[in-house]
Amino acid sequence: MSETIFSQIINREIDADIVFEDDRCLAFRDVNPQAPLHVLVIPKKPIDMLVHADDTDAELLGHLMLVARRVARDEGYGEAFRLVVNNGEAAGQTVFHIHLHVLGGRAFQWPPG
Ligand code: AMP
């Protein structure tokens, strides 16, 4: 997988507003927030997109979801938040390092746009 802006954030080559980190993942505020809470949760392992994750990534992917829940709670949005994973350009993916969007603090529409 080629270097992305997110691997540069993991390597501290560029700044980000980091809200959580452990040995497997990093969570930081989206630079272009779409809601009062908009945090990205990424694995330190460079997986470019969900479709390329495999069975050995199952625990890691579950961990990302639990970290997303923790971030929402810690930020005061634990009762209502939305998780989004964009897989592929047509679905809106622009950074090819898998990430969960954690969004909260406003009403959300369904179906999503
Ligand atoms: P996606 O379109 O699902 O691939 O989401 C990529 C997200 O990364 C977008 O919401 C961008 O605003 C966000 N983003 C891009 N560069 C940065 C950055 N340097 N720091 C924080 N968020 C970023």
Side-chain angles (χ1 to χ4, degrees), residues 6-29:
F6 290 177
S7 46
Q8 292 180 292
I9 290 173
I10 293 168
N11 296 330
R12 303 300 201 273
E13 292 162 5
I14 62 168
D15 288 336
D17 186 355
I18 294 168
V19 298
F20 180 83
E21 180 173 20
D22 66 14
D23 57 326
R24 287 177 283 174
C25 74
L26 195 63
F28 53 91
R29 295 188 199 284

Tab-separated table of all heavy atoms in Angstrom, residues 6-29:
chain	number	residue	atom	x	y	z
A	6	PHE	N	-2.736	9.593	6.101
A	6	PHE	CA	-2.999	8.996	7.412
A	6	PHE	C	-1.763	8.271	7.953
A	6	PHE	O	-1.514	8.303	9.159
A	6	PHE	CB	-4.202	8.056	7.358
A	6	PHE	CG	-5.528	8.765	7.176
A	6	PHE	CD1	-6.705	8.035	7.053
A	6	PHE	CD2	-5.614	10.149	7.137
A	6	PHE	CE1	-7.939	8.675	6.884
A	6	PHE	CE2	-6.837	10.806	6.968
A	6	PHE	CZ	-7.996	10.064	6.845
A	7	SER	N	-0.977	7.641	7.093
A	7	SER	CA	0.260	7.033	7.596
A	7	SER	C	1.232	8.124	8.036
A	7	SER	O	1.998	7.944	8.995
A	7	SER	CB	0.887	6.081	6.575
A	7	SER	OG	0.931	6.637	5.305
A	8	GLN	N	1.169	9.281	7.395
A	8	GLN	CA	2.008	10.407	7.849
A	8	GLN	C	1.560	10.905	9.222
A	8	GLN	O	2.395	11.310	10.028
A	8	GLN	CB	1.951	11.540	6.831
A	8	GLN	CG	2.631	11.196	5.516
A	8	GLN	CD	2.537	12.355	4.532
A	8	GLN	OE1	1.461	12.688	4.038
A	8	GLN	NE2	3.660	12.973	4.265
A	9	ILE	N	0.257	10.852	9.483
A	9	ILE	CA	-0.236	11.219	10.824
A	9	ILE	C	0.227	10.179	11.843
A	9	ILE	O	0.710	10.529	12.929
A	9	ILE	CB	-1.776	11.369	10.801
A	9	ILE	CG1	-2.158	12.626	10.001
A	9	ILE	CG2	-2.337	11.432	12.223
A	9	ILE	CD1	-3.649	12.799	9.751
A	10	ILE	N	0.126	8.903	11.514
A	10	ILE	CA	0.594	7.846	12.427
A	10	ILE	C	2.073	8.044	12.750
A	10	ILE	O	2.494	7.908	13.905
A	10	ILE	CB	0.372	6.449	11.790
A	10	ILE	CG1	-1.114	6.150	11.673
A	10	ILE	CG2	1.092	5.360	12.598
A	10	ILE	CD1	-1.436	4.946	10.802
A	11	ASN	N	2.849	8.387	11.737
A	11	ASN	CA	4.304	8.547	11.913
A	11	ASN	C	4.700	9.918	12.442
A	11	ASN	O	5.892	10.229	12.536
A	11	ASN	CB	5.016	8.290	10.578
A	11	ASN	CG	4.838	6.871	10.107
A	11	ASN	OD1	4.702	5.951	10.920
A	11	ASN	ND2	4.815	6.674	8.798
A	12	ARG	N	3.687	10.748	12.745
A	12	ARG	CA	3.912	12.092	13.283
A	12	ARG	C	4.697	12.980	12.313
A	12	ARG	O	5.430	13.879	12.707
A	12	ARG	CB	4.637	12.051	14.632
A	12	ARG	CG	3.929	11.224	15.711
A	12	ARG	CD	2.533	11.785	15.988
A	12	ARG	NE	1.998	11.399	17.278
A	12	ARG	CZ	1.308	10.275	17.519
A	12	ARG	NH1	1.063	9.408	16.550
A	12	ARG	NH2	0.840	10.026	18.728
A	13	GLU	N	4.522	12.701	11.030
A	13	GLU	CA	5.159	13.544	10.012
A	13	GLU	C	4.319	14.780	9.730
A	13	GLU	O	4.832	15.787	9.247
A	13	GLU	CB	5.387	12.740	8.722
A	13	GLU	CG	6.441	11.650	8.897
A	13	GLU	CD	6.384	10.578	7.816
A	13	GLU	OE1	5.597	10.707	6.851
A	13	GLU	OE2	7.122	9.595	7.958
A	14	ILE	N	2.989	14.669	9.975
A	14	ILE	CA	2.124	15.844	9.936
A	14	ILE	C	1.251	15.837	11.181
A	14	ILE	O	1.011	14.790	11.784
A	14	ILE	CB	1.265	15.929	8.655
A	14	ILE	CG1	0.319	14.742	8.553
A	14	ILE	CG2	2.119	16.041	7.414
A	14	ILE	CD1	-0.716	14.945	7.477
A	15	ASP	N	0.784	17.015	11.562
A	15	ASP	CA	0.006	17.167	12.791
A	15	ASP	C	-1.443	16.732	12.606
A	15	ASP	O	-1.996	16.833	11.512
A	15	ASP	CB	0.008	18.634	13.239
A	15	ASP	CG	1.352	19.057	13.787
A	15	ASP	OD1	2.101	18.164	14.250
A	15	ASP	OD2	1.651	20.264	13.732
A	16	ALA	N	-2.010	16.279	13.694
A	16	ALA	CA	-3.451	16.010	13.740
A	16	ALA	C	-3.893	16.220	15.182
A	16	ALA	O	-3.072	16.175	16.111
A	16	ALA	CB	-3.751	14.590	13.290
A	17	ASP	N	-5.192	16.458	15.350
A	17	ASP	CA	-5.754	16.637	16.682
A	17	ASP	C	-6.176	15.253	17.184
A	17	ASP	O	-7.307	14.811	16.986
A	17	ASP	CB	-6.937	17.606	16.609
A	17	ASP	CG	-7.485	17.960	17.975
A	17	ASP	OD1	-7.008	17.389	18.983
A	17	ASP	OD2	-8.393	18.805	18.037
A	18	ILE	N	-5.240	14.580	17.825
A	18	ILE	CA	-5.427	13.181	18.233
A	18	ILE	C	-6.234	13.125	19.529
A	18	ILE	O	-5.910	13.819	20.500
A	18	ILE	CB	-4.058	12.490	18.392
A	18	ILE	CG1	-3.382	12.395	17.023
A	18	ILE	CG2	-4.213	11.102	19.025
A	18	ILE	CD1	-1.921	11.989	17.064
A	19	VAL	N	-7.288	12.305	19.537
A	19	VAL	CA	-8.127	12.183	20.735
A	19	VAL	C	-7.949	10.839	21.423
A	19	VAL	O	-8.341	10.680	22.582
A	19	VAL	CB	-9.623	12.433	20.415
A	19	VAL	CG1	-9.830	13.857	19.902
A	19	VAL	CG2	-10.169	11.424	19.415
A	20	PHE	N	-7.388	9.854	20.738
A	20	PHE	CA	-7.162	8.539	21.355
A	20	PHE	C	-6.081	7.826	20.551
A	20	PHE	O	-6.020	7.934	19.329
A	20	PHE	CB	-8.443	7.691	21.341
A	20	PHE	CG	-8.250	6.330	21.960
A	20	PHE	CD1	-8.311	6.158	23.335
A	20	PHE	CD2	-7.971	5.230	21.162
A	20	PHE	CE1	-8.109	4.909	23.908
A	20	PHE	CE2	-7.755	3.974	21.730
A	20	PHE	CZ	-7.832	3.815	23.100
A	21	GLU	N	-5.265	7.058	21.287
A	21	GLU	CA	-4.258	6.226	20.625
A	21	GLU	C	-3.974	5.014	21.491
A	21	GLU	O	-3.938	5.110	22.724
A	21	GLU	CB	-2.952	7.017	20.418
A	21	GLU	CG	-1.872	6.184	19.724
A	21	GLU	CD	-0.631	6.990	19.347
A	21	GLU	OE1	-0.417	8.082	19.921
A	21	GLU	OE2	0.122	6.504	18.477
A	22	ASP	N	-3.798	3.869	20.859
A	22	ASP	CA	-3.256	2.704	21.558
A	22	ASP	C	-2.306	1.999	20.601
A	22	ASP	O	-1.931	2.574	19.565
A	22	ASP	CB	-4.376	1.814	22.131
A	22	ASP	CG	-5.235	1.155	21.055
A	22	ASP	OD1	-4.835	1.144	19.879
A	22	ASP	OD2	-6.313	0.651	21.408
A	23	ASP	N	-1.927	0.780	20.937
A	23	ASP	CA	-0.918	0.105	20.117
A	23	ASP	C	-1.440	-0.254	18.729
A	23	ASP	O	-0.657	-0.453	17.801
A	23	ASP	CB	-0.400	-1.151	20.835
A	23	ASP	CG	-1.525	-2.123	21.170
A	23	ASP	OD1	-2.644	-1.670	21.472
A	23	ASP	OD2	-1.280	-3.336	21.114
A	24	ARG	N	-2.759	-0.304	18.555
A	24	ARG	CA	-3.318	-0.763	17.280
A	24	ARG	C	-3.985	0.313	16.455
A	24	ARG	O	-4.231	0.119	15.257
A	24	ARG	CB	-4.346	-1.876	17.535
A	24	ARG	CG	-3.724	-3.187	17.938
A	24	ARG	CD	-4.780	-4.216	18.241
A	24	ARG	NE	-5.376	-3.997	19.549
A	24	ARG	CZ	-6.416	-4.672	20.035
A	24	ARG	NH1	-6.977	-5.606	19.296
A	24	ARG	NH2	-6.893	-4.423	21.227
A	25	CYS	N	-4.317	1.426	17.085
A	25	CYS	CA	-5.099	2.410	16.323
A	25	CYS	C	-4.880	3.835	16.813
A	25	CYS	O	-4.254	4.072	17.858
A	25	CYS	CB	-6.586	2.066	16.367
A	25	CYS	SG	-7.365	2.421	17.939
A	26	LEU	N	-5.416	4.746	16.024
A	26	LEU	CA	-5.311	6.175	16.306
A	26	LEU	C	-6.672	6.800	15.963
A	26	LEU	O	-7.310	6.405	14.980
A	26	LEU	CB	-4.234	6.756	15.387
A	26	LEU	CG	-3.653	8.133	15.650
A	26	LEU	CD1	-2.925	8.145	16.996
A	26	LEU	CD2	-2.671	8.499	14.540
A	27	ALA	N	-7.098	7.767	16.784
A	27	ALA	CA	-8.334	8.500	16.501
A	27	ALA	C	-8.010	9.987	16.548
A	27	ALA	O	-7.371	10.464	17.492
A	27	ALA	CB	-9.419	8.147	17.516
A	28	PHE	N	-8.433	10.712	15.517
A	28	PHE	CA	-8.127	12.145	15.435
A	28	PHE	C	-9.289	12.864	14.760
A	28	PHE	O	-10.067	12.261	14.011
A	28	PHE	CB	-6.813	12.389	14.676
A	28	PHE	CG	-6.744	11.739	13.324
A	28	PHE	CD1	-7.149	12.407	12.179
A	28	PHE	CD2	-6.283	10.434	13.196
A	28	PHE	CE1	-7.103	11.803	10.937
A	28	PHE	CE2	-6.234	9.806	11.950
A	28	PHE	CZ	-6.633	10.487	10.821
A	29	ARG	N	-9.381	14.180	15.018
A	29	ARG	CA	-10.497	14.956	14.463
A	29	ARG	C	-10.321	15.155	12.960
A	29	ARG	O	-9.208	15.448	12.495
A	29	ARG	CB	-10.594	16.314	15.164
A	29	ARG	CG	-10.949	16.191	16.620
A	29	ARG	CD	-11.250	17.520	17.287
A	29	ARG	NE	-11.132	17.355	18.728
A	29	ARG	CZ	-12.030	16.750	19.516
A	29	ARG	NH1	-13.135	16.267	18.990
A	29	ARG	NH2	-11.820	16.623	20.809
